[in-house]
Amino acid sequence: MSVVEEYARAHILTDGDRPDEDDGGAIPVVLRYDPQLDPSMVCVALPGKDGRAARSREWTFSRALLEQGLRAPAGSGEVRVWPCGRVQAVVEFHSPQGCSVVQFENKALIRFLRRTYAETAQPVAH
């Protein structure tokens, strides 16, 4: 089994986290799955406020939570996920430094989840 890593564009919805560039709040996000570490967890890495990958902030949480949040509000604690219309999802990340709310296109998250399940040969339930 190998690591699945996918890059996606997302939109920051929280004012304090918006990038300086005027690109509508779009940021590059890294979605990572390492079945060797824990086959039930995924990692989302947001760039630091200055856009540097070296200062990225990462959250590791249940792959099932990400999948459930595409259909209905899910989560508690540090990570919450809920659908936003028919084609987007919102992920809310909490840390001691505050809260970051990020909007993704569903297709990017679904593509990532499919790749993680293909890596572990488990079917995706939809």
Side-chain angles (χ1 to χ4, degrees), residues 60-122:
T60 301
F61 56 97
S62 164
R63 176 172 62 169
L65 168 65
L66 182 59
E67 186 175 353
Q68 291 166 3
L70 294 176
R71 294 186 302 270
S76 62
E78 289 187 355
V79 179
R80 296 180 179 110
V81 183
W82 65 89
C84 180
R86 299 179 79 181
V87 298
Q88 296 175 324
V90 173
V91 184
E92 183 177 277
F93 301 103
H94 293 266
S95 71
Q97 292 76 34
C99 175
S100 295
V101 181
V102 182
Q103 187 175 48
F104 290 88
E105 294 291 325
N106 281 351
K107 63 183 176 183
L109 298 177
I110 291 169
R111 182 175 53 245
F112 171 69
L113 285 169
R114 284 185 178 149
R115 288 184 62 207
T116 69
Y117 283 108
E119 187 59 38
T120 57
Q122 295 178 8

Side-chain angles (χ1 to χ4, degrees), residues 11-90:
H11 294 274
I12 297 287
L13 302 179
T14 43
D15 289 338
D17 290 326
R18 287 191 189 273
D20 293 333
E21 303 87 36
D22 188 20
D23 60 359
I27 58 166
V29 176
V30 179
L31 306 169
R32 188 175 311 112
Y33 173 72
D34 188 345
Q36 299 292 338
L37 291 177
D38 188 339
S40 68
M41 305 297 273
V42 295
C43 177
V44 175
L46 303 177
K49 289 187 182 183
D50 60 1
R52 293 186 197 163
R55 297 185 185 197
S56 70
R57 298 165 291 156
E58 293 189 359
W59 285 266
T60 301
F61 56 97
S62 164
R63 176 172 62 169
L65 168 65
L66 182 59
E67 186 175 353
Q68 291 166 3
L70 294 176
R71 294 186 302 270
S76 62
E78 289 187 355
V79 179
R80 296 180 179 110
V81 183
W82 65 89
C84 180
R86 299 179 79 181
V87 298
Q88 296 175 324
V90 173

